[in-house]
């Protein structure tokens, strides 16, 4: 049997940090070249889902690389959705 790290505390902390980001900050730059805060959040949204699906061995394997992250992809309820995805990843 393998020991797996408990991702729950990190998922809750990340959800808390991201919940405090106001919408007006989504266009702000990050240290990642040509990547806004919103783009980075979209990237985390996609990775949380993909890693959960990989852990659960569910979902489909994409052909080719994922689309470039973009703040334009964020739904209006992205904070709640991201928290659920991070919780799902931690549980998987």
């Amino acid at each position: 049997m393998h020991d797996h790290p408990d991702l729950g505390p990190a998922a809750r902390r990340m959800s808390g940090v991201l919940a405090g980001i106001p919408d007006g900050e989504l266009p702000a730059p990050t240290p990642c070249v040509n990547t806004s805060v919103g783009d980075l959040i979209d990237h985390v949204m996609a990775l949380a889902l993909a890693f959960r699906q990989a852990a659960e061995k569910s979902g489909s394997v994409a052909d080719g690389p994922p689309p470039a992250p973009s703040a334009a992809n964020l739904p209006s309820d992205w904070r709640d959705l991201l928290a659920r995805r991070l919780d799902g990843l931690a549980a998987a």
Side-chain angles (χ1 to χ4, degrees):
M1 181 162 197
H2 298 286
D3 288 330
H4 299 288
D6 180 4
L7 298 179
R12 288 187 295 276
R13 181 157 170 85
M14 179 174 261
S15 293
V17 167
L18 295 174
I21 297 174
D23 287 341
E25 292 295 317
L26 296 178
T30 67
C32 302
V33 177
N34 297 323
T35 303
S36 70
V37 170
D39 297 342
L40 195 54
I41 292 169
D42 183 48
H43 182 63
V44 171
M45 291 269 287
L47 288 178
L49 178 61
F51 289 159
R52 188 202 84 221
Q53 289 174 337
E56 294 173 343
K57 300 192 183 348
S58 65
S60 61
V61 176
D63 291 332
S70 172
N73 296 333
L74 295 175
S76 60
D77 66 340
W78 67 264
R79 290 171 185 83
D80 293 330
L81 179 58
L82 181 53
R84 289 192 308 271
R85 286 187 181 181
L86 289 168
D87 287 344
L89 172 59

